[in-house]
Structures are given as C-alpha cells and as structure tokens.
C-alpha cells in the first residue's frame, strides 16, 4: 500500500511540473525578458529532484524483494519508463548475483533431499518425486528465461560462471526425472499380475472374506493420472488401466458389501431353503448401495462442494484500479465489504452444516436398514431350521411307534430325540452368538465404502 501511494505521489508531482510549464506564456521575440530562463532552471531542478526520488524509490523497492523472478518483473516495469541514469544495468547485475545464489541453494536442496524428497499430499511416490524435481527446476528456469530477454546482461564473466552452474543443475534435475519415469514405465508391466487374481480371498487364520484387490493397482492408477497431467509418456497397459479405472473402482466398491453376504458365511448352508432369497437380497443391497452412492455424490458435489467453492471465492478487499483513494476511504470500503461478506458466509456456512447433517443421517439410516435386514434374515433362517427339526423329530417318533417300541421315561441317551433336539438348539445358539460377534467385531463395509467414495 505504501508503494502505491509513493508511486501516485511521484506521478502527481510530475503532472504538476508539466502543467506549470504549459500554463506559462512567453514572448520569445522580446529578448529582454528572462523569465523563461528562470522557469526552465526551476523545471530542471524539479525534474532532477523527482529523478532522485524515483531512484531512491526503486532502490527501496528492490531491498524488499527476495524472489529473483519477481525482482526481474519489477525491473522490467522501471525499464519501460525509459528514464536514463536510474542504474538499471547495475540492478540487473545485482539480481544476477542473487540468482547465482539461488542456483547454489537449489543444488544444495537437491543433494540433501534426492534420496527421500518431500512429496505433496495425496501424490503417488513416483509422480511426487518427479513433481518435486520439476518445482526445483522451475525455480531456476523462470529467471533464466527473463535474463535471456535482456541483451548484454549475460555477457559478463560472472554471468558465464552462473550459466555453467545453471546448465549443470538443470541437467541433474532432468536426469532425475527421466530415471524415475523410465523406472515407472518398466514397473507398470509387473502391475498386470494384480488384475489376474481372484476377486475374493479368505483369510486362512480367521476365515474372514476379503476383496482381493491389489493396493498397488490403485497406486498405479493415481500414477497414470499424474503422469498424464504432467504430459509424460505412459505405456499401453497404463493407458488401458486409465480407461478402466472407473469400472475397477465400481467393482471394488460393490464387492465390499460385507453385511449383505454375511449370512452366507454364518447361518446359510447348501440345504437352506431360502438361498434364492439370500441371493436376491445381495442384489438388492448392491442396488441400494449404488443408489446411495449417487445420492451422496450429488449432495456433496452440488450442495456442499459448490457452496464451499463460492465461499472460497468471496472478496474481502477491492483495490482501486483507476485512481488512488485515501486510507480512510479504503478502510471504510473494506470494512463495509467485510461485514457484507461475513453475513453471506454465515448463511452459506449454515447451509453447508445442514447438508452435512443430512449426509450423516443418510449414511446412518442406510447402515441401520442394512443391519435390520441382516437380523431379520437370520431370524428367518433360525425359524426355518426349527421347522426342519420339528419335521424330522415327528417322522422319527412315527417310525418308533410303528415298531411298537417304548422308550423309558428317563431315557436321555446320546441317540435320544431329546438329546438331538438339545444339540441342535445349542448349535443354533452358538451360531447366533457367532453372528453377533461378527456384527460387533467387523463393522459394516458399506459405511467404509461410502466414506471412501465421498473422500475421493
């Protein structure tokens, strides 16, 4: 703000000096009048003072700039003024020396971090390393492009030394990118094995069923997307993987409906009468999950993310464009704008909170309904087992009566129907307990799938 006010002040002084000269009327025929000489001397004095003030302003501006590329852009602005004796050539040489130190700093950072570079959030390992190297390269390439637009700046002996350091650093960074890119392209061929395994796999220790989807495939999908955005070459298999990524993710989410297939691991057998109902229930659970995913995605995209994007674009300060304004006017305008935007942000924040609560309730309701369906189905399976047990016991009693065989009233041996019924009831109780343990120890994968989809 101070820089703008100083520039406006100097511009006002220059306009006042020019206007003062334009308003003077001289008689060039009358040689006895010397007022023009006096006015011209005053004009030269005023312009000299303004020139010194402009030079001091340029010096103080460059003392505050730490970034080389920014300093070059500001220098080009002063150069376009066409004012002589501002010391522009000396400033360019000073910036060039600072740029030489920037190259040395980039080289030092590369040597210290090349084995384990800092990777940006949510970036895959290979693409993250390449992006890190490109960021270092851009820090030295941008200023070099600007220096090449200034003839004579790079012709000094120090400039030749700096150019040599630049070429060496740029070559090392480009080699780093090429090595990791070629290594990734070779590794992509090994990723084919991950798509040739079975869909599901059972743990040999716990017997739990898992979706057999190699995490390396998901990592390579992210690598392919990043490589494409960086305009790097990708192998044919990577291109195929990129085309089918939505289908693979869709199949992976569907196979994670653990609550729906849980009865097939606990209470159902090949002699159960409601296997068809069980399979239909799995299809219904998948359809419900797909519908839920569409509703969640629409809610997040259009009613939460869209509002948050509008909030992030809220303007809290408007700088004058045509003419300068006083500090009091600027502060008052900014205060009024902040109050207005605060009211809008408060209203939009309430809307986002309501939509977030609706999203949470939607997910909780879906999870609750799925659990109720599982419990209801297990109760029906239990009732079916008791019915089959009753029919078996009646048939056995009729067989005994037809042989005129009477059992002693206290007969409860191992072959007694009472003992067999008791064993079956005990087995059902154990199955119910195991089913309850599974519901407690293995949370619903539906909630995990929805949470992962929303985060993506």
């Amino acid at each position: 703000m101070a820089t703008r006010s100083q520039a406006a002040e100097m511009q006002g002084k220059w306009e006042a000096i020019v206007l003062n000269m334009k308003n003077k009327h001289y008689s060039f025929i009358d040689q006895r009048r010397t007022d023009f000489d006096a006015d011209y001397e005053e004009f030269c004095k005023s312009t000299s003072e303004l020139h010194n003030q402009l030079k001091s302003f340029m010096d103080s501006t460059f003392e505050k700039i730490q970034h080389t590329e920014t300093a070059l852009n500001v220098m080009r602005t002063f150069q376009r003024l066409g004012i002589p004796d501002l010391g522009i050539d000396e400033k360019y040489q000073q910036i060039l020396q600072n740029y030489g130190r920037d190259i040395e700093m980039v080289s030092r950072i590369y040597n210290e971090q090349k084995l384990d570079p800092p990777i940006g959030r949510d970036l895959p390992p290979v693409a993250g390393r390449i992006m890190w190297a490109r960021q270092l390269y851009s820090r030295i390439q941008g200023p070099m492009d600007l220096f090449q637009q200034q003839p004579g700046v790079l012709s000094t002996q120090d400039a030749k030394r700096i150019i040599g350091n630049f070429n060496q650093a740029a070559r090392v960074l480009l080699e780093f990118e090429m090595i990791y890119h070629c290594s990734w392209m070779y590794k992509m061929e090994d990723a084919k094995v991950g798509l040739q395994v079975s869909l599901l796999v059972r743990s040999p220790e716990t017997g739990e069923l898992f979706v057999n989807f190699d995490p390396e495939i998901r990592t390579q999908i992210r690598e392919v997307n990043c490589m494409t955005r960086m305009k790097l070459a990708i192998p044919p298999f990577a291109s195929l993987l990129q085309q089918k990524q939505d289908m693979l993710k869709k199949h992976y989410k569907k196979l994670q409906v653990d609550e729906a297939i849980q009865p097939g691991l606990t209470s159902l057998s090949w002699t159960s009468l409601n296997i068809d109902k069980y399979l239909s229930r799995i299809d219904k659970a998948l359809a419900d999950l797909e519908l839920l995913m569409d509703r969640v995605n629409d809610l997040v995209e259009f009613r939460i993310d869209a509002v948050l994007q509008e909030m992030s674009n809220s303007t809290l300060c408007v700088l004058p464009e045509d003419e300068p304004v006083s500090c009091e006017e600027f502060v008052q305008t900014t205060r009024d704008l902040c109050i207005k935007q605060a009211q809008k942000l408060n209203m939009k924040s309430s809307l986002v909170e309501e939509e977030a609560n609706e999203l949470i309730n939607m997910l909780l309701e879906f999870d609750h309904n799925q659990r109720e369906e599982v419990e209801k189905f297990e109760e029906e399976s239990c009732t079916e087992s008791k019915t089959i047990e009753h029919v078996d016991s009646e048939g056995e009693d009729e067989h005994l009566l037809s042989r005129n065989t009477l059992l002693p009233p206290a007969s409860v041996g191992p072959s007694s129907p009472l003992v067999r019924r008791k064993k079956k009831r005990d087995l059902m109780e154990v199955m119910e307990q195991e089913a309850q343990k599974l519901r407690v120890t293995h949370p619903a994968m539906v909630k995990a799938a929805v949470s992962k989809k929303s985060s993506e």
Side-chain angles (χ1 to χ4, degrees):
M1 191 65 184
T3 303
R4 283 178 173 271
S5 62
Q6 291 178 2
E9 180 183 355
M10 287 185 289
Q11 182 181 0
K13 286 184 178 181
W14 169 250
E15 292 176 352
I17 293 172
V18 174
L19 182 62
N20 184 39
M21 289 296 296
K22 287 182 177 180
N23 291 334
K24 297 293 181 67
H25 300 283
Y26 302 101
S27 178
F28 298 99
I29 300 177
D30 189 359
Q31 299 180 358
R32 293 172 298 178
R33 299 185 62 178
T34 60
D35 49 350
F36 173 78
D37 296 334
D39 292 340
Y40 179 72
E41 183 178 356
E42 181 65 25
F43 173 79
C44 293
K45 180 181 179 182
S46 300
T47 54
S48 177
E49 292 177 354
L50 184 60
H51 183 276
N52 294 332
Q53 185 179 357
L54 179 61
K55 192 173 185 303
S56 300
F57 171 70
M58 186 180 68
D59 294 339
S60 61
T61 300
F62 273 92
E63 289 178 357
K64 302 175 183 177
I65 299 177
Q66 303 295 331
H67 195 265
T68 301
E69 191 168 355
T70 304
L72 287 172
N73 289 326
V74 174
M75 177 57 66
R76 294 177 65 185
T77 302
F78 281 104
Q79 191 175 12
R80 284 196 296 267
L81 296 177
I83 301 176
D85 300 330
L86 285 180
I88 291 180
D89 293 337
E90 291 79 3
K91 290 295 181 184
Y92 269 121
Q93 292 300 322
Q94 181 181 349
I95 297 174
L96 182 63
Q97 296 300 322
N98 294 335
Y99 174 64
R101 288 189 287 271
D102 290 343
I103 295 177
E104 295 175 358
M105 181 184 64
V106 167
S107 300
R108 185 171 60 255
I109 292 175
Y110 171 80
N111 290 327
E112 292 175 354
Q113 301 180 355
K114 62 182 179 180
L115 298 179
D116 187 19
I119 298 177
R121 183 180 179 184
D122 295 335
L123 285 177
V126 179
R129 283 171 167 80
I130 294 177
M131 194 168 295
W132 169 77
R134 285 194 171 188
Q135 289 174 352
L136 292 180
Y137 180 78
S138 64
R139 292 175 63 176
I140 61 176
Q141 180 62 42
M144 179 57 71
D145 293 337
L146 295 177
F147 277 122
Q148 290 176 346
Q149 298 175 10
Q150 303 299 326
V153 177
L154 299 178
S155 60
T156 63
Q157 195 66 27
D158 287 341
K160 293 179 181 179
R161 176 182 58 82
I162 293 174
I163 292 175
N165 294 338
F166 166 80
N167 291 334
Q168 182 179 1
R171 182 174 62 253
V172 170
L173 291 172
L174 291 176
E175 288 177 355
F176 180 90
E177 175 180 329
M178 292 176 62
I179 289 173
Y180 273 95
H181 179 242
C182 294
S183 174
W184 171 78
M185 293 187 67
Y186 179 79
K187 185 180 178 182
M188 276 299 300
E189 297 299 322
D190 299 335
K192 295 180 180 179
V193 181
L195 295 180
Q196 298 173 355
V197 298
S198 60
L199 293 178
L200 301 175
V201 63
R202 188 180 298 278
S203 171
E205 292 82 10
T206 63
E208 186 177 358
L209 199 64
F210 293 97
V211 180
N212 193 19
F213 191 70
D214 189 357
E216 184 66 19
I217 296 297
R218 283 178 288 182
T219 301
Q220 294 304 327
I221 289 175
R222 293 164 58 206
E223 294 278 13
V224 172
N225 293 333
C226 291
M227 296 295 179
T228 304
R229 287 195 295 268
M230 290 189 291
K231 298 181 180 180
L232 292 173
I234 59 176
F237 175 70
S239 179
L240 179 65
L241 196 64
Q242 188 178 34
Q243 295 174 5
K244 294 186 176 183
Q245 59 176 318
D246 294 335
M247 181 189 69
L248 292 173
K249 291 178 181 178
K250 180 180 178 182
H251 291 170
Y252 175 71
K253 299 300 182 184
K254 282 188 174 182
L255 288 172
Q256 282 189 318
V257 190
D258 189 59
E259 286 285 352
I261 65 176
Q262 191 68 32
L265 300 175
T266 56
S267 59
L268 286 182
S269 66
W270 292 105
T271 59
S272 301
L273 300 179
N274 54 351
I275 292 181
D276 291 335
K277 184 178 180 181
Y278 164 68
L279 297 176
S280 300
R281 183 177 169 277
I282 293 179
D283 294 336
K284 182 178 181 301
L286 292 174
D288 293 343
L289 177 60
E290 186 173 0
L291 177 61
L292 176 68
M293 298 294 288
D294 293 337
R295 293 174 57 193
V296 168
N297 289 333
D298 292 342
L299 189 147
V300 172
E301 180 178 359
F302 299 107
R303 295 164 62 181
I304 294 181
D305 288 347
V307 179
L308 292 176
Q309 182 64 32
E310 293 179 2
M311 295 173 67
S312 65
N313 294 332
S314 300
T315 303
L316 301 180
C317 177
V318 178
L319 298 177
E321 298 180 357
D322 299 332
E323 57 184 12
V325 298
S326 63
C327 294
E328 292 77 9
E329 293 178 357
F330 177 76
V331 171
Q332 183 61 37
T333 303
T334 304
R335 181 182 293 110
D336 296 340
L337 182 60
C338 289
I339 294 174
K340 182 178 178 181
Q341 294 290 2
Q343 295 174 351
K344 291 183 178 180
L345 290 175
N346 184 45
M347 179 184 66
K348 292 180 180 179
S349 177
S350 300
L351 292 176
V352 171
E353 183 179 1
E354 292 177 2
E355 300 303 334
N357 290 331
E358 181 178 350
L359 174 62
I360 293 173
N361 293 332
M362 187 187 304
L363 298 178
L364 291 177
E365 181 182 0
F366 180 82
D367 182 63
H368 177 71
N369 293 339
Q370 290 297 316
R371 290 180 180 275
E372 284 188 346
E373 288 289 333
V374 172
E375 293 175 357
K376 180 180 178 182
F377 191 83
E378 289 180 347
E379 290 178 359
E380 293 176 354
S381 299
C382 181
T383 303
E384 174 202 345
S385 300
K386 292 181 179 179
T387 302
I388 295 176
E389 175 190 344
H390 178 67
V391 172
D392 291 342
S393 63
E394 286 185 351
E396 188 172 1
D397 291 342
E398 291 178 358
H399 177 69
L400 292 174
L401 290 175
S402 64
R403 296 178 58 189
N404 295 322
T405 303
L406 298 178
L407 293 176
S411 177
V412 289
S415 60
S416 170
L418 294 175
V419 174
R420 286 198 294 270
R421 286 196 294 269
K422 184 176 185 301
K423 287 183 178 180
K424 290 183 179 180
R425 285 195 298 270
D426 293 340
L427 179 60
M428 291 303 301
E429 291 177 1
V430 170
M431 292 177 64
E432 287 291 331
Q433 292 174 0
E434 292 297 326
Q436 182 64 24
K437 288 180 181 179
L438 288 171
R439 288 195 295 270
V440 173
T441 58
H442 298 278
M445 298 300 290
V446 175
K447 184 182 295 184
V450 173
S451 177
K452 290 179 182 177
K453 183 70 175 177
S454 300
S455 64
E456 292 176 359

